[in-house]
Amino acid sequence: MSRAPSFTLSIPEGRESPSPDPSPYDESIVHDSFHQLIQEQSQRAEAEALELQEWPPRDKGGGSQTLTAPQEYSGATLKILANMPSRTIGRSRGAIISQYYNQTIKLRRKNSRPLLRDLSRSARPSIRQYDLELDMTPRAEEEKRSLLVKELQGLTMTQRNHMLRDMPVSLAEKRCLRQDTCIQRGRQRHQQGSQTQLYCCSRLKYHCIIAFRSLWYGLLSGLHALKPWRGHLKQISGQFGSSVLSYFLFLKTLVSFNVLLLLLLLPFIVAVQVAFPPTSESPVSQSFTGLELFTGGGRFTHTVMYYGYYSNFTLNQPCSSHQNSDHCPPGAVHLPYNMPLAYLFTVGISFFITCITLVYSMSHSFGKSYQVGSTLGVHALTVFCSWDYRVTQKWASRLQHDNIRTQLKELLAEWQLKQRPKSVCGRLRQMVVLFLVWLLSLGSALGCAIAVYSFSEYMHENHEIRTSTISEKLQEAHLLALPLVVCIINLVVPYLYNVLALCEQNDSPVLEVYVAICRNLILKMVILGLLCYHWMGRKVRSLEDQCWETFVGQELYRFMVMDFIFTLVDTLFGELVWRLITERLKRDRKPEFDVARNVLELIYGQTLTWLGVLFSPLLPAVQLLKLLFLFYVKKISLMANCQAPRKPWRASHMTTIFITLLCFPSFLGAAIFLSYAIWQVRPSRTCGPFRTLDTMYEAGKVWIRHLEESSPSVVWFTWIHQYLVENTFFIFLLSAVLLAVIYFNIQVVKGQRKVICLLKEQISNEGEDKIFLINKLHSLYEKRATPS
């Protein structure tokens, strides 16, 4: 009689051999061969065979590969299938009680109590290695249960809790076992006085641990609930999808960037100057008219709002503001604070930290949006795995229901878009239309740039004439002309781009949004570039005897205020009035939320903030208030006036694209503008912390020179400043390192995708191997069963 073939399973090396008395929390050791597995379970095959034969065969439809075995198997094959990991879940209650009774006996027989850190945290202990009585009568089951209760009483509180927690029975059964254990133990209290004390201490320790754990989880949930706009974002996601949600998430990101700027600028520049205000040579006697809120001038000119108010000497030194040193009190104790150096380094460090945060946010968002692996099963995952069973409130369940429904709409729309093939003639026609539309878009952007440049030249040439003929209030009102023209262009031209986009007839809503973002970005960046040339060129030369830095700061403030006003006007007339008109005409066609235009408005406003940090340190505070107010205005208008996109689309990469655009065109352009102002442009001679220097950058050189003269022992610091700060090679090296970090992060994600593909292929091969082994075993035992 031939022996059954042995299929040996390889066990990974380097794993410690199990102890003769294994812990009940450890997973069972893999069997050495299928032959050994058959012999160990030969006494319990019939019950499992009946169970398996009653199961209907699986359907292979749907195009997915399933591991379906033949319908009729021999007894030996059924023994193997009965002991697979997926078959060990359906054991009876009596078998589980019997198993854990054996575990508690082994645990009590140990000489020493095991450490908690050495125990495995398995959620479902395997039961394949223990003697399970699958055919237990009710009487035998009750006997085993009473024995289990007695053995649980002999364990410590921690071991008993672990044992009850890991038992795969219902919560009601666990509660009954715990109560029976406590009742029988309570009956023995009068006999064991010392043990009662230990039991009380254990109970007290247990309740303290539970209380501290509940407190910790409560604090975590409270901190999670303190996240800004958490409920609003869930509501927007459920009703309008991830495309509209991406705008509000980006707005939330900009809020964090402005808070980061204020955390550096307020304590090191603004608060210090407020604590030691400079002596005003010409006291301001102007009255507040309200026009200052729009122009930023008037009473706001000589305040901490602008560059010209800040001192150019070392603060908290009694001799620093006096020309005659005889006025210095003898023996005065002072803490020097070099205001020019603090101003320069605070702005520089704030930009450096913002750059690091932007690069990290971009790489983190890239890793989240471009997730590794394919999306073949994303529909099934959304249907079966999206519901959060912790939700108990009715409004939260309704919100989650809307969210899942919107996700399914987006996924199905994306899948249907991929199923539409296009003919060659259709593609050629679309390319011609795209060429003409892009030609008109670039032409309109160029025309707007020429118009802004011509109007700025006109305003600059007629500035002296207006100064001598009109009053001071009208002069401030005329300063709003250039921001007004630019804001009108930024409001009207995007609607022209939307009309041109209708001619393109893009099937993909994502591509349509990307094209709109690109066109609006070109328009706004060209206009901002012309304005920077206007400020750093003509205004610096024409305002040599005045404080041109304060004027630039006021200009940026005016642009920001006018942009906010036009955003509110657009929200009112572009969404509210359109909804009222459609309701009057009885047409159910509300306007859709324009993601591209609204996102570019946020990027435009943040760029203005970064451009004005050097000239107006409190400009991030104005931008922060603007963003907070804008969130609620946009959210209310969205809920009341807008409808969900008619073409649902999934914004999986939108946040990454927004942060990338914020980093490279916006932040990089602002950094170049400020670097030019610090290194090349001569500061004003009448105001500001750098009034006695040729460039703002010389403040660091002057401080290093004074430090070297007063303390020759800090020569190493001078060397650091000379070779790391003044040397432009270090700046280029740092920029190269940041770009390399981004590049390597992209390559790592690509490598992870390849590894995921290989692992999926390996899983598929493993499934085919299992089918092959089962079929081989089936054929071998069929040959043995047939008479020769």
Side-chain angles (χ1 to χ4, degrees):
M1 184 175 179
S2 60
R3 295 181 59 188
S6 176
F7 296 88
T8 305
L9 300 178
S10 61
I11 300 175
E13 298 179 359
R15 189 174 296 178
E16 295 181 0
S17 60
S19 61
D21 192 9
S23 172
Y25 307 103
D26 295 335
E27 286 289 334
S28 62
I29 306 171
V30 181
H31 295 291
D32 293 336
S33 64
F34 284 105
H35 181 65
Q36 179 183 356
L37 185 146
I38 294 170
Q39 291 180 350
E40 289 180 355
Q41 305 295 334
S42 59
Q43 302 296 330
R44 299 186 295 271
E46 309 207 0
E48 298 291 341
L50 291 174
E51 180 186 356
L52 287 170
Q53 287 177 356
E54 291 176 358
W55 288 0
R58 295 185 181 179
D59 187 12
K60 286 190 177 182
S64 60
Q65 183 182 3
T66 56
L67 303 178
T68 306
Q71 296 182 6
E72 296 181 359
Y73 294 108
S74 63
T77 305
L78 291 174
K79 295 172 189 177
I80 296 174
L81 295 176
N83 290 276
M84 292 177 66
S86 59
R87 301 294 190 267
T88 60
I89 299 176
R91 300 293 185 182
S92 64
R93 172 174 169 270
I96 295 171
I97 291 176
S98 176
Q99 169 207 354
Y100 278 88
Y101 166 68
N102 296 331
Q103 289 182 7
T104 52
I105 291 177
K106 292 180 179 180
L107 188 61
R108 288 192 64 192
R109 287 175 182 174
K110 288 190 175 183
N111 296 327
S112 60
R113 178 181 174 183
L115 296 176
L116 290 180
R117 63 171 180 269
D118 298 330
L119 297 179
S120 175
R121 298 183 180 180
S122 174
R124 178 178 61 85
S126 178
I127 58 177
R128 284 176 288 172
Q129 278 192 338
Y130 300 94
D131 296 330
L132 303 179
E133 299 180 15
L134 302 176
D135 246 350
M136 296 181 64
T137 61
R139 182 176 180 181
E141 181 179 334
E142 289 300 327
E143 291 178 358
K144 286 289 186 181
R145 189 179 186 279
S146 61
L147 290 175
L148 176 60
V149 170
K150 291 180 180 180
E151 294 298 331
L152 286 173
Q153 293 175 5
L155 300 179
T156 62
M157 178 64 69
T158 305
Q159 290 175 337
R160 183 164 61 251
N161 291 333
H162 274 286
M163 182 71 69
L164 291 174
R165 187 186 306 159
D166 293 334
M167 287 182 66
V169 294
S170 63
L171 288 175
E173 184 67 26
K174 293 181 181 180
R175 193 177 294 112
C176 291
L177 288 173
R178 188 187 299 274
Q179 290 177 358
D180 293 343
T181 304
C182 295
I183 290 173
Q184 294 189 16
R185 190 167 183 122
R187 294 173 182 174
Q188 301 173 0
R189 287 182 180 177
H190 63 280
Q191 300 176 358
Q192 301 175 351
S194 59
Q195 294 183 2
T196 304
Q197 267 188 350
L198 181 61
Y199 172 75
C200 293
C201 294
S202 300
R203 293 287 294 179
L204 180 62
K205 177 183 177 182
Y206 172 76
H207 286 298
C208 289
I209 293 174
I210 293 298
F212 280 114
R213 184 181 297 175
S214 302
L215 179 61
W216 173 250
Y217 288 155
L219 290 176
L220 289 180
S221 61
L223 291 176
H224 187 65
L226 287 177
K227 289 183 178 180
W229 308 318
R230 179 168 167 261
H232 299 294
L233 294 177
K234 285 187 176 182
Q235 186 179 5
I236 293 169
S237 175
Q239 296 187 17
F240 297 91
S242 59
S243 57
V244 180
L245 179 66
S246 61
Y247 166 81
F248 291 93
L249 290 177
F250 184 63
L251 190 149
K252 183 180 175 181
T253 304
L254 293 183
V255 169
S256 62
F257 280 121
N258 286 280
V259 169
L260 179 63
L261 281 176
L262 286 177
L263 289 178
L264 294 172
L265 295 174
L266 284 179
F268 295 105
I269 296 181
V270 179
V272 175
Q273 189 63 64
V274 170
F276 302 97
T279 55
S280 178
E281 299 177 359
S282 56
V284 180
S285 60
Q286 299 178 0
S287 60
F288 184 77
T289 60
L291 190 62
E292 293 88 346
L293 296 175
F294 300 96
T295 62
R299 295 293 298 269
F300 290 160
T301 303
H302 301 284
T303 60
V304 291
M305 183 75 183
Y306 298 112
Y307 166 92
Y309 181 79
Y310 291 88
S311 306
N312 65 328
F313 48 80
T314 302
L315 301 179
N316 205 15
Q317 279 192 0
C319 305
S320 57
S321 58
H322 297 278
Q323 296 181 356
N324 190 1
S325 59
D326 295 337
H327 294 279
C328 297
V333 179
H334 31 256
L335 180 64
Y337 192 85
N338 194 330
M339 193 63 195
L341 188 68
Y343 197 99
L344 180 64
F345 271 78
T346 303
V347 173
I349 291 173
S350 63
F351 260 72
F352 180 74
I353 294 177
T354 304
C355 180
I356 297 296
T357 309
L358 268 174
V359 172
Y360 173 76
S361 301
M362 187 167 53
S363 60
H364 181 68
S365 177
F366 182 86
K368 287 180 63 177
S369 59
Y370 294 88
Q371 293 179 353
V372 297
S374 61
T375 57
L376 296 178
V378 67
H379 300 84
L381 290 175
T382 306
V383 172
F384 297 107
C385 304
S386 296
W387 187 261
D388 187 2
Y389 289 92
R390 296 172 298 178
V391 174
T392 56
Q393 299 180 357
K394 188 175 181 179
W395 66 270
S397 61
R398 189 187 306 113
L399 187 61
Q400 190 173 6
H401 177 270
D402 295 338
N403 197 353
I404 296 175
R405 181 186 59 189
T406 308
Q407 289 180 17
L408 289 174
K409 286 182 180 180
E410 294 172 354
L411 292 172
L412 291 175
E414 185 178 356
W415 178 78
Q416 290 175 358
L417 183 62
K418 295 179 181 178
Q419 306 299 321
R420 299 176 186 172
K422 274 195 174 182
S423 61
V424 178
C425 296
R427 292 180 181 178
L428 289 176
R429 183 170 59 253
Q430 188 176 12
M431 289 177 62
V432 173
V433 173
L434 280 175
F435 176 76
L436 294 176
V437 170
W438 270 103
L439 189 62
L440 291 175
S441 301
L442 295 177
S444 61
L446 182 61
C448 293
I450 293 174
V452 170
Y453 178 77
S454 302
F455 188 77
S456 63
E457 290 289 329
Y458 171 78
M459 294 291 295
H460 177 71
E461 291 174 358
N462 297 328
H463 176 71
E464 295 181 358
I465 300 176
R466 293 195 307 270
T467 303
S468 58
T469 55
I470 61 178
S471 61
E472 186 175 355
K473 291 184 179 179
L474 289 178
Q475 290 179 19
E476 291 188 3
H478 276 286
L479 293 176
L480 295 173
L482 183 60
L484 184 65
V485 171
V486 173
C487 289
I488 290 176
I489 291 175
N490 289 332
L491 178 65
V492 175
V493 176
Y495 284 103
L496 175 62
Y497 289 161
N498 291 339
V499 174
L500 294 176
L502 296 177
C503 302
E504 295 177 340
Q505 296 180 354
N506 289 320
D507 294 332
S508 174
V510 182
L511 180 61
E512 185 177 349
V513 172
Y514 286 162
V515 171
I517 287 176
C518 187
R519 290 169 182 165
N520 287 287
L521 184 67
I522 292 174
L523 173 68
K524 294 181 184 297
M525 290 300 110
V526 169
I527 292 177
L528 282 177
L530 285 174
L531 292 174
C532 292
Y533 170 76
H534 171 69
W535 293 326
M536 290 291 101
R538 293 186 175 275
K539 287 301 177 183
V540 171
R541 290 193 296 268
S542 62
L543 300 174
E544 288 184 355
D545 299 333
Q546 303 177 20
C547 191
W548 64 265
E549 293 92 347
T550 299
F551 176 81
V552 173
Q554 291 174 348
E555 280 278 277
L556 289 165
Y557 175 84
R558 287 189 283 267
F559 272 91
M560 185 177 296
V561 171
M562 293 302 297
D563 178 69
F564 177 63
I565 293 174
F566 272 78
T567 301
L568 296 181
V569 170
D570 179 39
T571 303
L572 178 64
F573 291 97
E575 297 175 359
L576 177 60
V577 175
W578 179 257
R579 181 182 67 85
L580 295 177
I581 292 174
T582 55
E583 288 180 354
R584 183 62 60 89
L585 298 176
K586 298 182 179 180
R587 293 181 180 179
D588 190 12
R589 190 179 177 182
K590 295 181 179 180
E592 295 183 10
F593 189 81
D594 195 345
V595 178
R597 181 171 51 83
N598 285 280
V599 166
L600 263 298
E601 288 176 358
L602 293 180
I603 294 178
Y604 175 75
Q606 189 61 38
T607 307
L608 293 176
T609 304
W610 283 331
L611 290 173
V613 166
L614 181 65
F615 311 107
S616 178
L618 287 180
L619 207 58
V622 179
Q623 173 71 359
L624 182 61
L625 295 176
K626 170 188 168 184
L627 292 175
L628 293 175
F629 190 75
L630 195 63
F631 180 89
Y632 292 101
V633 170
K634 288 291 184 181
K635 190 254 179 182
I636 294 172
S637 176
L638 177 70
M639 295 296 177
N641 305 323
C642 298
Q643 67 176 4
R646 288 187 292 272
K647 294 181 180 179
W649 52 283
R650 190 163 58 103
S652 57
H653 305 156
M654 294 300 291
T655 304
T656 306
I657 299 298
F658 296 160
I659 295 180
T660 304
L661 294 176
L662 184 68
C663 181
F664 287 109
S666 177
F667 179 79
L668 184 62
I672 292 174
F673 172 78
L674 294 184
S675 299
Y676 176 77
I678 291 173
W679 264 276
Q680 297 295 330
V681 182
R682 185 174 183 178
S684 300
R685 297 296 183 184
T686 58
C687 66
F690 309 104
R691 66 189 70 176
T692 58
L693 304 174
D694 293 333
T695 60
M696 298 181 185
Y697 180 70
E698 284 190 2
K701 293 183 177 180
V702 172
W703 181 73
I704 287 294
R705 188 163 53 248
H706 287 313
L707 184 64
E708 187 177 2
E709 294 175 356
S710 60
S711 303
S713 59
V714 292
V715 181
W716 57 272
F717 193 81
T718 307
W719 182 88
I720 291 176
H721 179 269
Q722 181 179 358
Y723 290 99
L724 296 183
V725 180
E726 290 187 355
N727 195 354
T728 56
F729 174 76
F730 178 72
I731 299 177
F732 286 112
L733 180 63
L734 186 62
S735 303
V737 169
L738 293 177
L739 294 176
V741 168
I742 300 173
Y743 173 77
F744 283 129
N745 189 24
I746 295 173
Q747 295 301 316
V748 166
V749 173
K750 288 183 178 179
Q752 289 176 352
R753 288 180 178 176
K754 293 181 180 179
V755 170
I756 291 295
C757 293
L758 293 175
L759 290 175
K760 286 187 176 181
E761 185 178 356
Q762 183 178 353
I763 291 173
S764 177
N765 294 334
E766 291 288 342
E768 295 177 359
D769 292 342
K770 290 179 181 179
I771 295 176
F772 174 77
L773 289 174
I774 291 174
N775 292 331
K776 282 293 184 182
L777 283 173
H778 182 65
S779 61
L780 286 174
Y781 286 109
E782 277 186 348
K783 290 180 182 179
R784 290 179 55 188
T786 56
S788 57

